[in-house]
Amino acid sequence: MFNDDVEQPRVLVVDDDVFMRGMLHNLLETQGYQVIQAEDGLKALSVFRQQTPDLVLLDAAMPVMDGFTACAELKKIEVSFDVPVIMITALDDEESVDKAFSAGAVEYITKPVHWAVLRHRVKVILDARQAQAAMRKSEARFRGLFEQAAVGIGLVDMQGRCFQANPGLQQILGRDIGDLLDRPFDKLFYPSDSVVEKEFHHKLLTQQISHYQMEKYFFRKESAIAWGRLTTSLVKNEADQPVFYVQMVEDITERKRAQTKQRLAAKVFETTSDGIMITNAEGRIIDVNQAFLLMTGYSYEAVLDQNPRFLQSGHHDRAFFDNLWMQVRNTGRWRGQIWNRRQNGDIFSVWLSISAVRGEHNQVTHYVAVYSDISSLKENDERMRLLSHYDPLTELPNRLLFHELLTRACRQEERVALLYLDIDGFKRINDLFNYDVGDACLKEVATRLRRCLREGDQVARLDSDEFAIVMSPIHQKYDTRVITDQIFAELQKPITVEQHTFTIDCNIGVSFFPSDSIQADQPDGVEVFIQQADMAMFMAKENGKNTCYVFTELS
């Protein structure tokens, strides 16, 4: 229940790290919340009984009593049945996530904490809980909160038609109340009636889950496409019969636009002909693009975590670099010609632009260096031919570039999925017809695989009939299933080459990074990641044609 004896919502912060408690305390207090603290799970139970909070932010790994146990014990207290618990922890493995939700948590946020996300999630959860409490207490109080909620709320009958919509929903969708009432709610958002959503809906009706979330796009009147995060829950009567759905809609359009800009920046990063290097504030390389590797002759793994000093040619003295960095510190940038050394020892001239990137508090967080090679274009073209990273038949990345793409994806602090795909019986096509027919089939397969990918995903050809797909980032588990279903559907469509018609069967193995068996900082993590996808593909082949196997399902 929600506290009525205080104006401010009360939040209990439980963490054995005094610094973390202090950061959370300051964040919440500036947002107008009353904050109480406990340093471990056992003390949290005592504080909870004395001062029932409206929300609990709970660390997982703590001495005396861990967060999972504390969450389960909190839910046994009579007054705590509707007090939400957000688990905030450095543990990001699937087992810990499942354990947290099984114990009764409603949200799981990993450290390091994105403070803006936490701030909004706390507000959304408190608003939602307050709305549910208001409905139970009185229609009048519910109506007031329903009208003032910061998120969009729609009430939908069991036939799927909207019978009430709050002003927040009307504002988000850009529609008045008359345009929403008695309208099929799922037709307002796209895609509708997906296979995945049907599964979620079935689980909701059969009480396997209490709610589910989907990200969908919609169209406001006379405006561009917009995005919403829909949370669907079910309200039942005293006889435990479903009465109506509650649809909560958050406008995530700005977040989606930011992601699009980020993907565009990543595309520019990879396709520009200028070499780009990004370092942290200490000067250690955290990323470079393909043009930089072609320009210098180094591999991706060889330059990561290195100081750029390995490029020095010896043409510049210490005073040159002292003046360079003095200008960067004073103005935030430096531009000029500089001589560098390639891996093979060749000296070459570049036009270098260095810029400092600053954070919210004006502190330097990164440096970005752009290298424009002004050496002989003929030498550069020859070097690019020698260091070709693409399969000449399909024009897909080859195994070498695939490994670099995968390594880079695994360093982005996002969850990555790797799909290994093997065409079944492809050798028979070459044997029965000829290699020209086989090559034409492979080119068509490559084209169809490209059509199945999301923006930012990568597909590579590793061998004659073997392909790999790197999906990053992975926000929800069903992302991979949607892609694999599309691949099976695309490849089973007939392919016609020289009056010969084929249907392609394949098997797909899937693995995830990081996972229970691969840590994000594990030195051989990428190789283990690849081995797991390969093993999953082998298991898929054992199960028959057109099957998919996920490595985490292996017993």
Side-chain angles (χ1 to χ4, degrees):
M1 65 185 172
F2 225 86
N3 281 311
D4 292 318
D5 55 337
V6 292
E7 267 186 45
Q8 304 166 312
R10 183 183 301 146
V11 181
L12 171 58
V13 175
V14 188
D15 200 304
D16 61 324
D17 186 336
V18 63
F19 175 76
M20 189 65 182
R21 287 204 311 274
M23 292 288 288
L24 290 169
H25 188 286
N26 291 338
L27 173 71
L28 296 167
E29 200 167 59
T30 57
Q31 299 303 308
Y33 302 120
Q34 180 186 359
V35 184
I36 51 179
Q37 299 184 21
E39 62 190 46
D40 59 55
L42 193 60
K43 291 184 179 178
L45 296 176
S46 176
V47 173
F48 191 102
R49 291 186 177 94
Q50 296 172 17
Q51 306 179 66
T52 303
D54 302 301
L55 174 67
V56 180
L57 304 185
L58 185 61
D59 187 21
M62 296 183 294
V64 185
M65 179 184 290
D66 63 43
F68 304 115
T69 304
C71 184
E73 291 298 319
L74 284 174
K75 292 302 176 181
K76 296 178 183 178
I77 302 174
E78 184 177 353
V79 295
S80 73
F81 74 97
D82 67 340
V83 176
V85 176
I86 298 179
M87 197 73 77
I88 302 180
T89 175
L91 302 174
D92 63 350
D93 58 283
E94 188 170 341
E95 181 181 353
S96 296
V97 174
D98 291 340
K99 193 174 180 181
F101 285 108
S102 297
V106 300
E107 184 63 88
Y108 194 96
I109 296 178
T110 55
K111 299 176 182 178
V113 175
H114 192 303
W115 299 111
V117 171
L118 176 61
R119 184 175 72 247
H120 287 293
R121 293 308 297 149
V122 166
K123 178 172 176 52
V124 167
I125 289 174
L126 285 174
D127 285 347
R129 292 294 170 173
Q130 193 168 6
Q132 293 172 0
M135 283 194 292
R136 286 192 296 268
K137 290 182 179 181
S138 71
E139 177 62 23
R141 185 173 179 185
F142 163 73
R143 178 57 53 197
L145 185 61
F146 181 80
E147 298 295 330
Q148 299 299 322
V151 296
I153 302 176
L155 305 184
V156 180
D157 63 27
M158 298 308 296
Q159 287 70 48
R161 294 187 174 275
C162 181
F163 66 86
Q164 189 55 275
N166 75 334
L169 183 61
Q170 297 171 47
Q171 182 178 3
I172 289 173
L173 297 180
R175 298 174 182 267
D176 57 36
I177 189 69
D179 199 20
L180 293 174
L181 295 184
D182 204 35
R183 188 182 183 121
F185 193 82
D186 64 338
K187 301 304 180 185
L188 297 169
F189 301 89
Y190 305 89
S192 61
D193 297 326
S194 67
V195 174
V196 173
E197 186 169 13
K198 286 180 179 178
E199 286 190 13
F200 281 153
H201 186 252
H202 173 72
K203 290 182 178 180
L204 182 66
L205 291 175
T206 55
Q207 302 185 37
Q208 297 180 55
I209 56 176
S210 61
H211 67 279
Y212 64 87
Q213 293 181 331
M214 302 285 291
E215 292 185 0
K216 297 186 175 187
Y217 65 91
F218 59 94
F219 295 96
R220 296 190 180 102
K221 286 188 174 181
E222 301 178 359
S223 67
I225 188 172
W227 284 86
R229 181 181 183 181
L230 279 69
T231 302
T232 303
S233 57
L234 186 62
V235 175
K236 297 185 177 183
N237 58 21
E238 295 179 355
D240 203 34
Q241 297 296 317
V243 180
F244 60 88
Y245 300 98
V246 177
Q247 294 278 5
M248 297 183 62
V249 182
E250 300 173 60
D251 189 343
I252 59 171
T253 305
E254 291 304 316
R255 193 194 84 189
K256 284 289 187 179
R257 287 174 180 168
Q259 290 175 347
T260 301
K261 289 181 181 178
Q262 187 176 13
R263 285 194 296 269
L264 179 60
K267 183 67 74 174
V268 172
F269 181 78
E270 280 306 314
T271 57
T272 181
S273 60
D274 290 336
I276 301 176
M277 173 201 297
I278 303 175
T279 75
N280 58 21
E282 291 71 40
R284 294 285 176 181
I285 297 174
I286 62 173
D287 205 1
V288 296
N289 69 347
Q290 187 65 24
F292 177 90
L293 301 177
L294 293 170
M295 185 182 297
T296 63
Y298 286 92
S299 68
Y300 188 71
E301 292 82 358
V303 302
L304 291 181
D305 298 322
Q306 300 297 315
N307 187 289
R309 281 193 291 265
F310 67 86
L311 294 171
Q312 290 182 8
S313 63
H315 281 221
H316 307 284
D317 57 18
R318 183 183 182 89
F320 173 86
F321 290 104
D322 287 344
N323 290 332
L324 184 158
W325 285 108
M326 181 183 298
Q327 185 171 339
V328 172
R329 285 191 292 269
N330 292 338
T331 67
R333 64 187 60 191
W334 182 89
R335 295 186 179 91
Q337 185 178 355
I338 192 170
W339 290 87
N340 282 339
R341 185 187 303 274
R342 295 191 176 96
Q343 186 183 34
N344 63 7
D346 290 347
I347 306 299
F348 67 108
S349 176
V350 296
W351 184 263
L352 175 62
S353 298
I354 301 177
S355 299
V357 179
R358 298 186 179 274
E360 294 182 1
H361 304 292
N362 203 37
Q363 80 282 14
V364 174
T365 59
H366 300 85
Y367 293 102
V368 178
V370 179
Y371 296 81
S372 301
D373 190 353
I374 54 179
S375 300
S376 168
L377 293 177
K378 183 176 179 181
E379 290 181 357
N380 188 59
D381 290 342
E382 180 65 21
R383 184 166 61 258
M384 291 183 70
R385 284 194 296 271
L386 293 174
L387 296 175
S388 175
H389 282 62
Y390 290 87
D391 172 47
L393 176 64
T394 62
E395 298 182 355
L396 295 177
N398 61 15
R399 187 180 292 273
L400 179 60
L401 180 53
F402 155 74
H403 198 279
E404 292 177 0
L405 293 171
L406 184 63
T407 301
R408 182 175 291 114
C410 291
R411 292 176 60 89
Q412 299 306 311
E413 298 184 358
E414 297 274 8
R415 198 172 192 200
V416 183
L418 175 59
L419 281 59
Y420 254 43
L421 182 149
D422 178 77
I423 298 175
D424 188 47
F426 178 74
K427 182 177 182 298
R428 186 169 175 270
I429 296 177
N430 283 332
D431 292 342
L432 289 177
F433 303 100
N434 56 59
Y435 285 98
D436 290 340
V437 173
D439 288 349
C441 282
L442 286 174
K443 292 173 72 174
E444 178 61 22
V445 167
T447 299
R448 295 186 182 189
L449 289 177
R450 286 192 189 98
R451 288 203 296 262
C452 295
L453 301 187
R454 309 171 306 172
E455 184 177 358
D457 293 343
Q458 297 279 354
V459 58
R461 184 188 179 200
L462 305 184
D463 208 341
S464 173
D465 55 358
E466 191 172 299
F467 296 82
I469 296 172
V470 180
M471 295 181 61
S472 176
I474 294 293
H475 296 299
Q476 303 177 82
K477 289 182 180 179
Y478 67 78
D479 288 350
T480 55
R481 178 171 171 182
V482 171
I483 297 299
T484 55
D485 287 347
Q486 290 177 351
I487 290 173
F488 287 133
E490 280 289 330
L491 295 189
Q492 288 177 37
K493 295 176 182 177
I495 297 176
T496 301
V497 180
E498 296 181 4
Q499 298 181 343
H500 304 294
T501 300
F502 314 95
T503 55
I504 299 296
D505 297 313
C506 70
N507 298 97
I508 302 175
V510 181
S511 61
F512 294 95
F513 179 97
S515 65
D516 292 345
S517 56
I518 315 175
Q519 301 303 313
D521 57 354
Q522 186 172 325
D524 62 344
V526 174
E527 297 303 327
V528 175
F529 189 20
I530 293 173
Q531 291 170 11
Q532 291 180 353
D534 193 34
M535 186 182 301
M537 183 181 70
F538 174 79
M539 295 299 295
K541 293 172 72 173
E542 290 290 306
N543 287 342
K545 297 179 180 180
N546 299 315
T547 57
C548 175
Y549 210 98
V550 179
F551 180 81
T552 51
E553 296 173 359
L554 295 175
S555 59

